[in-house]
Amino acid sequence: QVQLVESGGGLVQAGGSLRLSCAASGRTFGGYAMGYFRQAPGKDREFVAAVTWSGGSTYYSDSVKGRFTISRDNAKNTVYLQMNSLKPEDTAVYYCAAHPRVLVVVTQGRADYWGQGTQVTVSS
């Protein structure tokens, strides 16, 4: 079992930045690929970014590529999502997720474990 707790959400003006953190506890964090998804009101959940268990490879949706950076610190059992140049359309609840295989996260949008979500609101 892996427990995931997100933090770092909030209200920011367009063009601003936020950094989300997702702290993991339980089973070996280093054995899991980690990802972030988001869900805006009235919309389906969508993939945002993912990182392999080693941190050596990262994946991004086209809508955030070049603006968001995902990283992880396995010593701290934490994954981060640095979000720059935020836009109102980035407003959503952001969820972190864990799965042993990064391509399952990226291509299937599936995960074994999910966090509770953190709200990100970008004002225009």
Side-chain angles (χ1 to χ4, degrees), residues 2 4 11 13-16 18 20 24 32 37-38 53 62 68 74 81-85 92 95 99 117 119 123:
V2 174
L4 303 174
L11 173 64
Q13 288 189 331
L18 282 175
L20 305 184
Y32 285 84
F37 292 78
R38 67 187 182 187
W53 67 268
D62 288 343
F68 291 11
N74 287 344
L81 185 69
Q82 178 66 44
M83 306 185 294
N84 299 329
S85 302
Y95 300 89
H99 192 281
Q119 176 70 47
S123 63

Side-chain angles (χ1 to χ4, degrees), residues 41-123:
K43 295 188 176 181
D44 293 335
R45 183 179 65 203
E46 65 171 345
F47 166 76
V48 175
V51 59
T52 54
W53 67 268
S54 68
S57 295
T58 55
Y59 303 80
Y60 299 93
S61 68
D62 288 343
S63 60
V64 307
K65 198 172 296 182
R67 300 188 298 122
F68 291 11
T69 302
I70 190 169
S71 62
R72 67 190 294 162
D73 184 339
N74 287 344
K76 296 183 178 180
N77 286 356
T78 302
V79 63
Y80 305 98
L81 185 69
Q82 178 66 44
M83 306 185 294
N84 299 329
S85 302
L86 282 161
K87 305 174 181 180
E89 50 264 44
D90 294 318
T91 295
V93 177
Y94 283 71
Y95 300 89
C96 69
H99 192 281
R101 297 171 60 190
V102 69
L103 290 183
V104 170
V105 176
V106 175
T107 64
Q108 301 180 28
R110 293 195 294 113
D112 285 352
Y113 303 103
W114 295 89
Q116 83 286 356
T118 186
Q119 176 70 47
V120 172
T121 303
V122 184
S123 63

